[in-house]
Amino acid sequence: LGKCLLSPIVLAAYAYNRSLSELGPGGRSDDEPGVLCQLFAFLMAFFGLAPTLLLLAMALECWLSLGHPYFYRRHLTRRLGLTLGPAAAALCALFCALPLLGFGVPMQYCPGTWCFIRMAGGGPRELGFPVLYASLMGLLVLAIVACNVSSMRHLYGMARRQPRRGPPPAAAPRMEELDHLVLLGLMTVLFTVCSLPLIVRAYMGAFAADFNENADLSALRFLSVNSIVDPWVFIIFRTSVFRTFVRRVCRRL
C-alpha cells in the first residue's frame, strides 16, 4: 500500500521534471515544503513505523504460541487479532501526524523527489520528533529481535526433543522445527540490518549535527528494501528444493 501511494508521486515528479515542492500547491522552494511534500513525508514516516509495529505483534504471537501455549489459547482470540491491525495503524497515524502540527519539520531531500522529516539542523522543536521516532523504532527492533530469538530457542528445543524414528533418513519430522528456525533467523537478521541505518542517521543528525542527504537517502533505501525482500525470502524458502538444501546443511552442521 505504501509503495502504491508513494510511487506515482515520484514518477510524476520525474515526468514533469519538478521537485515535490514545486509540483504540489503551497510550496515555492526547498525550504518551504508544499502540501504534496508534507503528505509524502507523512506517508514515508507512517509506512516505516506501521509495518514495524505489525511485525512486533506477529513476533509476540509467535513467542506466546511457542513459549506460553496455555496463555495463548485462553487469551488471544480472533477478535483481538482483528482489532490489533486497525489499532496499530491508528496509533502510528496519530504519531506521524505530529510534524503536521508543528512538532517536527517535513523537509524535501535531494534530488527533490522525496520528502521526510528533517533529521539534522534546527532546534529542539525540529529535532525532537526524529529522535523520538528513531527511539521508538529502536525499541520496536529490540523487542522484535528478543521475541524472535526466544521463539528460535523454543523451536530448537522442540527439534532436540523430537525422538528419532529409525535411521537418520527417517528422522526428517524433527527438521520441520528447524525449517521454521532458519526462516525466522533469516528474516530477523534482514529486518535488523535494514532498520538500523535510519535509527543511526536520526541520532547522528540530532546529536552530531551530521547533515548528509546522501546518507539519509541510503538509510531510507535500506528501510524500503526490507518490505521488498522479506516476501521473496519467505517464498523462496517455502520451495522444496531450497528446504532440502537447508536440511542437508543442518545435518552436516
Side-chain angles (χ1 to χ4, degrees), residues 10 16 18 27 63 71 84-85 113 125 181 195 229 239:
V10 180
Y16 289 100
R18 294 182 179 180
W63 172 63
F71 179 88
L84 275 179
T113 54
R125 188 179 180 87
L181 178 89
S195 302
V229 177
T239 60

Side-chain angles (χ1 to χ4, degrees), residues 38 41-42 45 49 91-106 117 125-126 128-130 132-133 136:
Q38 295 179 19
F42 168 78
L49 188 62
L91 287 174
C92 290
L94 291 174
F95 179 77
C96 295
L98 290 177
L100 304 178
L101 303 176
F103 184 64
V105 178
I117 310 303
R125 188 179 180 87
E126 288 80 11
F129 180 81
L132 190 61
Y133 186 88
L136 182 59

Side-chain angles (χ1 to χ4, degrees), residues 133-155:
Y133 186 88
S135 301
L136 182 59
M137 284 281 291
L139 289 175
L140 292 176
V141 170
L142 287 176
I144 291 171
V145 171
C147 290
N148 285 347
V149 169
S150 180
S151 299
M152 291 161 63
R153 183 175 62 84
H154 287 300
L155 284 171

Side-chain angles (χ1 to χ4, degrees), residues 21-39:
S21 295
E22 297 172 338
L23 194 63
R28 294 293 180 267
S29 65
D30 295 349
D31 298 328
E32 298 179 7
V35 175
L36 190 61
C37 184
Q38 295 179 19
L39 175 64

Side-chain angles (χ1 to χ4, degrees), residues 44-106:
M44 287 283 287
F46 175 79
F47 286 108
L49 188 62
T52 310
L53 199 58
L54 291 177
L55 280 176
L56 176 60
M58 295 168 64
L60 281 172
E61 184 198 10
C62 183
W63 172 63
L64 288 173
S65 64
L66 291 172
H68 306 276
Y70 295 108
F71 179 88
Y72 176 82
R73 183 70 176 175
R74 290 188 60 184
H75 297 284
L76 270 73
T77 61
R78 183 178 295 272
R79 180 178 297 178
L80 177 62
L82 291 174
T83 56
L84 275 179
L91 287 174
C92 290
L94 291 174
F95 179 77
C96 295
L98 290 177
L100 304 178
L101 303 176
F103 184 64
V105 178

